[in-house]
Structure formats: C-alpha cells, structure tokens
Amino acid sequence: MDNFVRKLLRLGILVAFLLVVVLSWNKWQAPPTTPPPEEEQGELESWRQSLSESDLDLLARVVRAESEGEPYDGQVAVAAVILNRVTHPEFPNTIPGVVYEPLAFSVVANGTVNKPANASALQAAHAALNGLDPSGGALYFYNPAKTRSTWIRSRSVLKTIGKHIFAS
C-alpha cells in the first residue's frame, strides 16, 4: 500500500508540474493585447465626435435595407462601403450625401431605407465606424442576382460576402 501511495503522489506531482508548464506555455504564446496606436484612436474618436445620431441612424437603416438576411460580415461591409465613399474624393463627404446621391442605392429609390434599423444593422454600423472593413476597401457592392448593370459588373471584384460582391 505504501508503494501505491508513493506512486500516486509522484503522479500527482508530475500532473501538477505539467499543468503549470502548459498554462505558462499558453500564456507565453498568446499575442500581446495592445491598444491601437494614438493616430488610430484619434481617427476612431473623430468618427464618434462628428457623427450625429441621425447620420448613425441613416447608416444603420441603409445597412438593414441593403443587407438584411446577409451574414454579419456582409452587413459591416455594406456600412464600410458607405464610409469608404465618404472619405473618397469622388463621392460626397457626408453619410447623407453618399446615401442620397442620385441612383446610388436602390433602397433609397424604393423607400426601403425608411424602415427602422434592426439591432444587427446598428451593431454593424458601429463596427464599421470603429474601423472594421470586411470589404477590403471597396467603394461599391452589388448582388449579381439583382442587377443587370454592365457598369457595376465591370468593376474590379475585391471580395464576395454572402450574396454581395464588393468591388473597387
């Protein structure tokens, strides 16, 4: 019996040692969590500071209207496209300017943009405003099953998310 207890004690010590090694290894391997550089923080804060509630609501309503039923990444990508246009010199420099630009979004023409945003669309709008861009910097998106425009189909494809193609 003494021999059995000694073996059990040695096994317990060995298991405890291995557990400490594994936990230490995992902690050592984990990437460090660092806040974004000061310049990125400034950009994020500038969005938050200069964006009105009505602009956020409009962005979220467009996201819902254009990407309802799409994966969350697709919803964030739709919001990112609008924000990419806001900062691009060939487009208006405000969210309403981009959204209400003539013929830019079919959801404006058909009135779907006037329906309230849902929680997912609002969350996607916030994610895009905070710098997430699954579109890869796209300025355009379209659903190939819903458009016949040869012009939009001629744009360089960057990514496909759900049923949308994101292009530059």
Side-chain angles (χ1 to χ4, degrees):
M1 184 81 169
D2 266 344
N3 198 15
F4 176 73
V5 171
R6 279 190 214 139
K7 286 183 181 180
L8 193 57
L9 183 59
R10 285 183 189 154
L11 181 63
I13 291 171
L14 180 62
V15 168
F17 176 75
L18 289 174
L19 185 61
V20 167
V21 169
V22 167
L23 291 176
S24 297
W25 178 261
N26 284 341
K27 186 175 182 179
W28 182 70
Q29 290 293 321
T33 55
T34 56
E38 292 265 341
E39 62 207 32
E40 285 182 30
Q41 288 178 345
E43 285 180 27
L44 298 181
E45 288 171 6
S46 69
W47 274 114
R48 291 183 193 127
Q49 291 170 4
S50 65
L51 190 69
S52 69
E53 286 296 319
S54 63
D55 284 358
L56 175 62
D57 178 62
L58 177 60
L59 180 61
R61 285 186 289 126
V62 173
V63 169
R64 189 209 49 80
E66 287 284 1
S67 61
E68 192 167 37
E70 291 291 313
Y72 179 72
D73 274 358
Q75 294 177 41
V76 176
V78 165
V81 165
I82 294 167
L83 297 177
N84 291 343
R85 288 183 182 189
V86 168
T87 59
H88 194 278
E90 292 180 19
F91 294 93
N93 63 358
T94 65
I95 290 172
V98 167
V99 170
Y100 293 117
E101 188 173 27
L103 306 175
F105 295 95
S106 62
V107 298
V108 172
N110 68 23
T112 313
V113 72
N114 297 318
K115 293 182 181 176
N118 56 25
S120 180
L122 188 58
Q123 184 179 2
H126 277 283
L129 284 165
N130 285 316
L132 188 58
D133 184 0
S135 79
L139 294 173
Y140 306 97
F141 65 89
Y142 62 96
N143 181 333
K146 294 184 177 181
T147 187
R148 287 185 233 142
S149 168
T150 55
W151 181 85
I152 194 71
R153 289 173 181 269
S154 72
R155 309 304 295 179
S156 297
V157 173
L158 298 176
K159 192 176 280 189
T160 300
I161 305 173
K163 295 177 183 171
H164 283 130
I165 292 177
F166 293 86
S168 60

